[in-house]
């Protein structure tokens, strides 16, 4: 007396593939060896797994319905039959993921990721902004809800592979009979055929559209930063889950400030006299107009820092600094009166024939060189 696999899984003889899968999943959860390791339960787990292997495969199910034993391939012809239940099918039953080589593949596939470039000016990237972006994308077809079949119709089970998605062929070789499988050429491996495609999406399950999305761009992003918006990409073929949308930040150069990390740099040129006497100047920063004090005796190349006037740190508190590099301008042309004044100044300062002085950096270099000669 052959086993009744329908009874084993507790389903009716006319149960659909979905019902069989559900029943197996429910039983496998409570009987799985990882959950319940006692020997009797393990035996029962093997039974329901064998039942699922047969009933989930249309060919084996048919054999079982006609009173045959799909595992009784004593002739040795049916390679793979009864060789145990492939782990991938257990995974499939648990997680609904179709394995690559067995069973029909799902029409639904994950959608592609998309990348769009977002141009920001310095204040926007430095302090964050909200943008409305127009995205050309694919969304779920409302008419067929992704199935690809016209309203009121369903994909038909493929009559070439009987819904398996693959066709098997037994060939003779020097090893004996070998069974090979390949994707079904009629249904492309889906196990079903859409005879009446949805008019709206031509059977793709999705339609192209232009969508406006509002995105919050965090403070502190910079040129080349990628922001991932999970699930905002294209819906996949067959109504599959959407991919991700990536925003690539492109920062427009600022006319005054150069950004290095969170710090901003700029250069101001001041006349020689202002550098010597000190001055104050007004500068337009990202925070509005600021008064900058240039102390008397400021040297060319000196840096005036404005702390926390740079850009916001990304995902952190605090801001970078604004660093003002001073460039002291020597007058290019002097009129006679100015020249006379400067000559007088140089006399007063005893600088008519200034001794050639080393800059501090060079002195340091020479003293280090001397130390090296002295062995210190
Ligand atoms: Zn459609
Ligand atoms: Zn087929």
């Amino acid at each position: 007396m052959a086993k009744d696999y329908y009874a084993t899984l507790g389903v009716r003889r006319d149960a659909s593939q979905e019902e069989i899968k559900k029943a197996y999943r429910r039983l496998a959860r409570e009987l799985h060896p990882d959950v319940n390791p006692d020997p009797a339960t393990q035996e029962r787990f093997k039974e329901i797994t064998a039942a699922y292997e047969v009933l989930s495969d249309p060919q084996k199910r048919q054999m079982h319905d006609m009173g045959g034993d799909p595992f009784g391939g004593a002739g040795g012809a049916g390679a793979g039959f009864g060789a145990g239940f492939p782990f991938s099918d257990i995974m499939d039953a648990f997680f609904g993921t179709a394995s690559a080589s067995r069973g029909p593949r799902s029409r639904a596939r994950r959608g592609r990721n998309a990348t769009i470039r977002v141009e920001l000016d310095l204040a926007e990237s430095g302090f964050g902004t909200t943008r409305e972006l127009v995205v050309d994308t694919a969304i779920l077809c409302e008419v067929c809800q992704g199935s690809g079949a016209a309203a009121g119709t369903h994909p038909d089970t493929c009559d070439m592979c009987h819904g398996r998605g693959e066709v098997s062929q037994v060939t003779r070789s020097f090893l004996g009979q070998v069974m090979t499988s390949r994707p079904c050429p009629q249904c492309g491996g889906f196990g079903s055929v859409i005879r009446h495609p949805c008019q709206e999406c031509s059977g793709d399950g999705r339609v192209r559209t232009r969508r406006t999305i509002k995105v919050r761009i965090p403070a502190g992003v910079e040129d080349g930063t990628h922001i991932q918006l999970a699930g905002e990409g294209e819906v996949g073929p067959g109504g599959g889950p959407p991919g991700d949308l990536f925003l690539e930040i492109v920062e427009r150069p600022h006319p005054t400030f150069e950004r290095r990390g969170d710090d901003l740099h700029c250069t101001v040129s001041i006349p020689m006299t202002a550098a010597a006497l000190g001055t104050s100047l007004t500068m337009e920063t990202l925070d509005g107009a600021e008064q900058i004090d240039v102390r008397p005796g400021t040297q060319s190349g000196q840096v005036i820092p404005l702390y926390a006037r740079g850009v916001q740190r990304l995902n952190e508190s605090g801001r970078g600094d604004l660093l003002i590099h001073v460039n002291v301008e020597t007058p290019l042309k002097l009129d006679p009166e100015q020249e006379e004044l400067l000559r007088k100044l140089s006399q007063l300062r005893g600088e008519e024939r200034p001794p050639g002085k080393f800059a501090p950096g060079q002195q340091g270099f020479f003293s280090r060189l001397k130390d090296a000669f002295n062995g210190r």
Side-chain angles (χ1 to χ4, degrees):
M1 180 70 199
K3 282 178 182 150
D4 183 0
Y5 287 128
Y6 294 101
T8 308
L9 286 184
V11 293
R12 293 197 321 271
R13 290 190 73 81
D14 60 350
S16 70
Q17 284 298 317
E18 204 45 51
E19 285 165 349
I20 288 166
K21 192 181 230 180
K22 246 189 212 159
Y24 173 66
R25 239 195 249 205
R26 186 174 48 74
L27 289 168
R29 277 212 185 93
E30 50 180 89
L31 300 171
H32 195 274
D34 289 347
V35 182
N36 207 333
D38 96 82
T41 312
Q42 282 191 38
E43 204 46 51
R44 176 102 175 90
F45 181 73
K46 274 185 201 155
E47 273 172 34
I48 62 150
T49 300
Y52 178 65
E53 184 180 1
V54 170
L55 298 185
S56 63
D57 181 329
Q59 275 188 357
K60 290 181 195 169
R61 183 176 179 177
Q62 198 180 18
M63 209 187 282
H64 174 66
D65 289 352
M66 294 188 304
D69 183 2
F71 292 116
F81 276 46
F85 199 53
F87 185 64
S88 61
D89 277 22
I90 298 177
M91 300 304 283
D92 185 23
F94 272 110
F95 304 111
T97 52
S99 63
S101 60
R102 285 180 61 100
R105 57 194 184 100
S106 169
R107 279 178 206 280
R109 274 173 290 141
R110 186 177 182 273
R112 281 185 310 188
N113 294 340
T115 302
I116 51 173
R117 290 156 67 93
V118 183
E119 269 197 34
L120 301 176
D121 61 33
L122 184 58
E124 290 175 310
S125 62
F127 300 133
T129 184
T130 304
R131 273 291 176 88
E132 287 205 338
L133 301 171
V134 178
V135 198
D136 284 311
T137 188
I139 59 165
L140 190 72
C141 173
E142 292 283 330
V143 176
C144 64
Q145 289 297 314
S147 76
T153 72
H154 293 284
D156 296 321
T157 301
C158 172
D159 54 21
M160 190 170 191
C161 63
H162 307 287
R164 292 178 67 223
E166 55 183 23
V167 285
S168 305
Q169 203 177 7
V170 177
T171 49
R172 283 189 168 278
S173 79
F174 65 95
L175 292 170
Q177 285 183 331
V178 178
M179 191 166 79
T180 52
S181 300
R182 62 191 169 96
C184 172
Q186 180 167 296
C187 62
F190 296 125
S192 61
V193 179
I194 296 175
R195 297 209 195 284
H196 308 284
C198 170
Q199 299 272 310
E200 184 70 18
C201 63
S202 312
D204 191 33
R206 53 187 185 155
V207 286
R208 297 220 61 94
T209 188
R210 181 164 280 197
R211 203 155 66 92
T212 305
I213 57 168
K214 204 171 181 180
V215 292
R216 169 103 197 95
I217 295 167
V221 296
E222 60 187 317
D223 203 62
T225 301
H226 279 77
I227 299 172
Q228 182 177 15
L229 302 173
E232 295 285 357
E234 291 187 356
V235 160
D244 298 335
L245 180 63
F246 288 89
L247 306 184
E248 186 188 335
I249 303 298
V250 179
E251 193 176 86
R252 284 189 216 106
H254 190 274
T256 312
F257 301 121
E258 189 195 324
R259 180 173 172 182
R260 290 180 216 158
D262 306 318
D263 294 335
L264 298 176
H265 294 258
C266 70
T267 304
V268 284
S269 291
I270 56 170
M272 184 181 76
T273 49
L277 299 171
T279 186
S280 86
L281 42 100
T282 308
M283 184 176 188
E284 201 57 45
T285 70
L286 294 182
D287 299 85
E290 298 243 3
Q291 190 84 4
I292 317 282
D293 282 323
V294 179
R295 280 201 290 262
T298 294
Q299 305 294 310
S300 198
Q302 208 165 312
V303 176
I304 302 171
L306 294 185
Y307 296 112
R309 286 285 180 272
V311 302
Q312 181 74 47
R313 297 188 211 285
L314 182 64
N315 302 327
E316 269 180 64
S317 61
R319 291 174 60 178
D321 303 325
L322 171 57
L323 301 164
I324 303 164
H325 299 254
V326 178
N327 176 41
V328 176
E329 279 183 336
T330 308
L332 284 172
K333 271 187 181 163
L334 298 168
D335 65 24
E337 195 186 346
Q338 290 166 349
E339 192 181 337
E340 203 189 312
L341 272 171
L342 272 182
R343 285 204 186 284
K344 197 162 182 190
L345 177 65
S346 99
Q347 270 170 19
L348 283 172
R349 291 180 57 84
E351 290 171 348
E352 295 134 298
R353 280 170 205 276
K357 267 204 272 180
F358 287 117
Q362 285 173 306
Q363 268 173 351
F365 174 70
F366 280 118
S367 55
R368 245 179 290 133
L369 202 63
K370 208 167 66 187
D371 286 350
F373 279 121
N374 295 340
R376 276 254 140 221

